[in-house]
Amino acid sequence: MSPATVFTLHTFILLHYFLVVGQSAPVSPPPLFKEAAESAKMLVEKILDDVVTVHAAAVNTEGLTLEPSAHTTTLQMMAMTLGIPAAPVLKPLSERFTLDTCLSHMLAGSQLYQGLMGVLSSRLSGLGDLQADLRDLQTSINGMKELAQTNGGGSVTDDHQYDNLDLASRLHGNYEVQVAAHLTLAQLRSFCHDLIRSLRAVATYRPQVAGAR
């Protein structure tokens, strides 16, 4: 076998190797994306601390605590009556629940709770810091979407249940205000726990590129 033939054969083998590896190797998020996810996680942790503080200061009706309650079913019915929707679900990343969808759900949830806080702030004091942190969180998540170069196709819901929240018209008295504040803060706390798990996951997510086997 001539040297030229050997060279050509080796070149073919190397090209084949890089093509196969390039198709199957996972792609890491860019370093800046990981830093953005960590920054967002720290902000969510601050929101979690603020939720406890705000709840203790604003919610004084007996039985409305952040601890597990025996009145869960009643409170769920009150949430429906008051028109407080559940936050978008955050799932482990997969082909169906893509990074784009995950970030869109994160963003929609932060927008939902900022909107609810806006309504409640007209009846309760001390919600300003939480509103500001939720705005900052939206900015952070939007930055992550840009860094990840997502295509904006991660829809949250088909019925637009987060549009035109009607909470304000249902707060007839102090009791409704107290229940609404409790439900909003309790749901926000649960959503934040989900956010932290999801942010940890997306920071290290290594999706397979197209054509992977």
Side-chain angles (χ1 to χ4, degrees):
M1 187 177 297
S2 68
T5 303
V6 172
F7 177 80
T8 302
L9 180 60
H10 284 177
T11 302
F12 174 79
I13 292 171
L14 286 172
L15 285 172
H16 178 72
Y17 171 80
F18 285 118
L19 283 172
V20 171
V21 171
Q23 289 179 341
S24 60
V27 179
S28 299
L32 287 177
F33 180 88
K34 186 173 183 178
E35 291 177 13
E38 180 61 30
S39 177
K41 185 170 75 67
M42 292 175 64
L43 183 54
V44 174
E45 289 169 347
K46 180 180 183 301
I47 291 173
L48 273 173
D49 290 338
D50 289 346
V51 163
V52 176
T53 302
V54 170
H55 193 283
V59 181
N60 49 43
T61 297
E62 186 177 355
L64 298 181
T65 71
L66 290 174
E67 300 304 318
S69 172
H71 307 292
T72 301
T73 302
T74 302
L75 290 172
Q76 288 174 344
M77 293 177 63
M78 284 295 297
M80 295 177 62
T81 300
L82 293 170
I84 300 176
V89 176
L90 297 176
K91 303 176 183 178
L93 296 177
S94 65
E95 290 184 2
R96 292 189 175 184
F97 195 80
T98 63
L99 177 61
D100 187 27
T101 302
C102 184
L103 292 173
S104 294
H105 280 220
M106 290 181 183
L107 184 60
S110 62
Q111 290 170 339
L112 165 66
Y113 289 111
Q114 187 190 6
L116 291 170
M117 292 295 171
V119 174
L120 290 169
S121 65
S122 65
R123 304 290 294 270
L124 290 171
S125 60
L127 303 182
D129 288 346
L130 267 178
Q131 287 180 277
D133 287 343
L134 286 166
R135 280 194 299 270
D136 291 343
L137 182 60
Q138 290 169 49
T139 300
S140 184
I141 295 170
N142 273 319
M144 291 173 65
K145 288 172 72 70
E146 292 178 6
L147 287 169
Q149 296 182 337
T150 58
N151 59 21
S155 62
V156 175
T157 176
D158 293 331
D159 61 2
H160 306 288
Q161 64 174 321
Y162 303 122
D163 294 343
N164 303 317
L165 293 172
D166 194 31
L167 175 61
S169 66
R170 307 184 187 196
L171 299 179
H172 303 299
N174 183 65
Y175 178 73
E176 285 84 2
V177 172
Q178 288 280 294
V179 172
H182 166 72
L183 288 168
T184 299
L185 291 168
Q187 290 183 10
L188 175 57
R189 186 175 72 156
S190 178
F191 182 65
C192 283
H193 287 304
D194 290 342
L195 270 176
I196 288 174
R197 285 190 290 268
S198 290
L199 287 166
R200 286 172 179 160
V202 301
T204 58
Y205 182 53
R206 297 168 66 89
Q208 296 291 325
V209 297
R213 298 289 186 267

